Amino acid sequence: MQFLPEGFALPPLPYLLALAVGIGVVAVGVTRRDLAVDQRHVVALVPWILAGSGVHALYVVDALPSLVRPLGGTPAVYATMAVLAGGVWLVADATVQNVPRVLAMSGVTAFVPTYGSGIAVGLSRGTFAPFWSGVALLASLAVGAVAWVLLSRAVPRVDHTGWVGVVALVSHAVDAVSTAVGVDILGFGERTPLSRYIIEFAADLPTAGVIGSGWLFVLVKLVLVSGVVVLFADLMQEEPREGAALLGFVAAVGLGPGAHNLLLFAIA
């Protein structure tokens, strides 16, 4: 049975060593400075997550320069963005007062040219077709908003998670809905084994001929992330820093693949 996503491969040794050193330096810096982490910091990292998703999309369509291409694959892209964002965070923490603003602005500085490059690649190759990505994005936001309203009414204490909880839920809605659109409408495959098994199971159900096979993945994703947000609600109140950091990680593993899907569908 396959457990790792398709395309999962370590970069060449020199890149791997550089990333390991970078991660080590950032980890030591974070430990020594005892960085403050709250909801503002986590939300400010959203542009960095988007930038990483854009880099990986460019990697998939073979549009990265050869020198940096090994840093765009999985899992190297996660480590690369962690080193860059972590380095900016450490410098900002030592030099400025409004760290979240610096994190957000630097992330936008990385995100905008990355997605701009992706669009330029699509236009130059004649493959730029953003319609279904736009549909998926709007549907994702609507589904995520409805899910949050229903969850907050059913379990009021999830309000303790604040914007981090909202971002986590909406991020996974983006991943789920974009995956469903990619599978049912655009003919893309799912690279993550467990997700693929869920979609294949739904394809064997009588509903497959009517509403496709992605709906079950959307449902499972929303139920799981809703459960996680509920579990983190008390932790966010009792240990805000740990809760924000962990729930931010949950958001990242949904937003990264989801945003990657949207850009890839538009340019591939």
Side-chain angles (χ1 to χ4, degrees):
M1 179 181 293
Q2 180 184 358
F3 292 97
L4 296 176
E6 293 180 7
F8 186 98
L10 295 177
L13 185 59
Y15 291 88
L16 186 61
L17 291 176
L19 287 175
V21 170
I23 290 292
V25 170
V26 169
V28 170
V30 169
T31 301
R32 288 185 174 180
R33 291 201 62 83
D34 192 25
L35 294 180
V37 181
D38 59 27
Q39 295 192 39
R40 298 173 305 147
H41 296 88
V42 174
V43 174
L45 288 173
V46 166
W48 280 104
I49 298 171
L50 295 176
S53 70
V55 170
H56 187 55
L58 291 172
Y59 171 86
V60 171
V61 298
D62 197 20
L64 285 177
S66 58
L67 183 63
V68 299
R69 176 170 170 75
L71 299 175
T74 304
V77 68
Y78 301 115
T80 300
M81 302 315 293
V83 170
L84 293 175
V88 170
W89 195 336
L90 287 170
V91 172
D93 187 71
T95 58
V96 301
Q97 291 185 337
N98 196 333
V99 175
R101 176 179 293 178
V102 173
L103 277 176
M105 292 178 63
S106 59
V108 170
T109 302
F111 155 68
V112 171
T114 301
Y115 273 64
S117 297
I119 293 172
V121 168
L123 290 172
S124 66
R125 296 178 180 179
T127 57
F128 184 59
F131 175 77
W132 284 111
S133 292
V135 170
L137 176 59
L138 293 176
S140 301
L141 297 177
V143 168
V146 170
W148 176 259
V149 170
L150 294 176
L151 181 62
S152 61
R153 290 183 177 179
V155 189
R157 71 176 187 276
V158 299
D159 288 341
H160 297 320
T161 63
W163 280 107
V164 180
V166 175
V167 170
L169 189 55
V170 173
S171 294
H172 283 271
V174 171
D175 183 26
V177 174
S178 64
T179 297
V181 169
V183 170
D184 289 334
I185 298 176
L186 300 178
F188 282 83
E190 172 55 40
R191 298 189 301 171
T192 304
L194 181 57
S195 302
R196 186 168 63 247
Y197 297 147
I198 295 173
I199 292 170
E200 290 173 351
F201 175 78
D204 293 330
L205 297 176
T207 55
V210 180
I211 57 176
S213 56
W215 67 270
L216 183 60
F217 179 64
V218 175
L219 180 61
V220 170
K221 264 273 192 177
L222 290 177
V223 169
L224 288 177
V225 72
S226 295
V228 170
V229 172
V230 170
L231 289 175
F232 274 91
D234 292 334
L235 180 62
M236 287 286 290
Q237 189 175 27
E238 298 168 2
E239 299 289 345
R241 182 165 74 168
E242 288 77 5
L246 292 173
L247 195 52
F249 175 78
V250 171
V253 299
L255 182 58
H260 162 265
N261 287 345
L262 296 177
L263 181 58
L264 184 64
F265 296 165
I267 67 176

